[in-house]
Amino acid sequence: MTTGVRARLNRIGTEGRYVMVPMDHGITLGAVDGLERIERTIDAVTRGGADCVLTQKGIAPRVHGNTNGAGYVVHLNGSTVSGPDTNDKRITGTVKEAIQLGADAVSMHINVGSVHEPKQIEDLARITENATEYGLPVLAMTYARGPDVDEHDAEALGHAVRLGEELGADIVKTAYSGDTESFERVVASTALPVVIAGGKPDSDRASLEAVRGAMDAGAAGVSMGRTIFQHDDPEAITRAVAGVVHEDLSAEEALQQAELMIEA
Ligand SMILES: CC(=O)[C@@H](O)[C@H](O)C[C@H](N)C(=O)O
Ligand SMILES: O=CC(=O)COP(=O)(O)O
């Protein structure tokens, strides 16, 4: 690992653990709740302890000045839910553009098992080559997604994260398999730090228990979007997630510390 990559990983994480809040969904879903006034959301989640935020390149001017010192990741591919196939992620930016926009790292989404996988494999390999040239870390968002693919199957998720490592990524993100024991197999599939996506928002307790379960399995943190940016109190939920990731709190302790409503 080069000095530059190591230094930049420390800008988007803390001592090898990561609370990342991706907000690239504006291309996928549109200006959904939490993204319409993205400046306020970025301010809130970084006050709550997010190590970095992640957006598409066009949002960069709305990021800087609101991060409270947190890091910034530029996402380099995307699709929409209204297009012919959401799994068909196409390149939306370059490593050079990300650097010009003040990014500390870049990310790319790959759907392992989809018909678009071959092209996305080529795209990720090219992005890691370019990123290495500039000393920029790469977060590979490696999902198990496609026809007849169980998106939470541990073997499929393990294959996805290993693919990210094989193609030169520095951190891999995937869905949580649902329990610690099966996710241990996912984490064991790669030498890279593994962070989990949040998926569709659930109750605070369920979300924090998923983070706890992933950390107990050896995960390095989260890249949680909707669970955080669509929460009624993004600062508080971020504080709770950071409590689990960085302070090894239980879900219960994290809820208490963040003063989130304790469901009956
Ligand atoms: C909206 C979703 O299903 C998320 O998992 C997205 O796939 C995340 C991804 N980075 C995207 O929005 O393209
Ligand atoms: O870029 C998106 C993610 O990394 C995960 O998003 P989610 O909303 O937590 O599924």
Side-chain angles (χ1 to χ4, degrees):
M1 182 184 295
T2 65
T3 302
V5 169
R6 182 174 293 107
R8 293 183 175 95
L9 283 174
N10 287 328
R11 294 180 195 163
I12 63 170
T14 306
E15 296 175 358
R17 290 191 176 184
Y18 303 87
V19 176
M20 310 172 118
V21 182
M23 289 179 255
D24 56 302
H25 305 60
I27 189 171
T28 322
L29 306 172
V32 294
D33 289 349
L35 298 188
E36 63 279 55
R37 298 182 67 178
I38 198 166
E39 297 86 346
R40 291 178 58 179
T41 307
I42 290 168
D43 179 62
V45 304
T46 51
R47 286 182 189 281
D51 292 301
C52 67
V53 296
L54 179 156
T55 76
Q56 291 278 347
K57 63 184 180 182
I59 301 297
R62 301 176 67 178
V63 171
H64 297 302
N66 299 302
T67 58
N68 297 294
Y72 179 40
V73 184
V74 170
H75 196 55
L76 299 183
N77 72 342
S79 63
T80 78
V81 291
S82 49
D85 184 345
T86 308
N87 286 340
D88 186 4
K89 300 291 180 181
R90 298 296 179 97
I91 294 297
T92 56
T94 66
V95 169
K96 185 177 178 182
E97 285 181 305
I99 292 168
Q100 289 169 334
L101 293 165
D104 301 301
V106 293
S107 58
M108 200 204 105
H109 179 135
I110 181 166
N111 291 308
V112 182
S114 76
V115 294
H116 310 290
E117 174 198 288
K119 176 68 171 61
Q120 291 168 8
I121 284 174
E122 288 178 342
D123 291 342
L124 182 54
R126 192 168 303 112
I127 282 170
T128 58
E129 177 192 14
N130 292 344
T132 300
E133 187 180 351
Y134 290 98
L136 225 61
V138 177
L139 164 68
M141 299 184 180
T142 56
Y143 287 90
R145 283 185 179 171
D148 307 321
V149 174
D150 176 352
E151 297 189 7
H152 297 283
D153 175 69
E155 308 320 314
L157 295 171
H159 183 183
V161 298
R162 182 51 179 256
L163 179 143
E165 178 180 6
E166 300 277 343
L167 293 175
D170 300 283
I171 309 172
V172 286
K173 181 205 74 174
T174 197
Y176 182 50
S177 57
D179 62 86
T180 297
E181 184 181 358
S182 65
F183 204 67
E184 283 173 345
R185 298 202 301 277
V186 178
V187 172
S189 300
T190 175
L192 296 184
V194 179
V195 299
I196 63 166
K200 287 190 174 64
D202 201 332
S203 70
D204 293 350
R205 184 182 302 278
S207 300
L208 292 166
E209 284 174 348
V211 178
R212 184 68 266 158
M215 298 303 291
D216 291 343
V222 304
S223 172
M224 262 184 164
R226 292 162 288 174
T227 297
I228 290 177
F229 70 70
Q230 293 192 316
H231 194 277
D232 292 340
D233 188 340
E235 180 174 349
I237 191 65
T238 306
R239 185 165 289 112
V241 170
V244 176
V245 172
H246 290 309
E247 301 173 56
D248 279 329
L249 298 183
S250 67
E252 196 70 31
E253 291 165 336
L255 284 165
Q256 297 278 358
Q257 176 171 273
E259 297 178 359
L260 284 169
M261 179 74 72
I262 307 294
E263 290 96 9

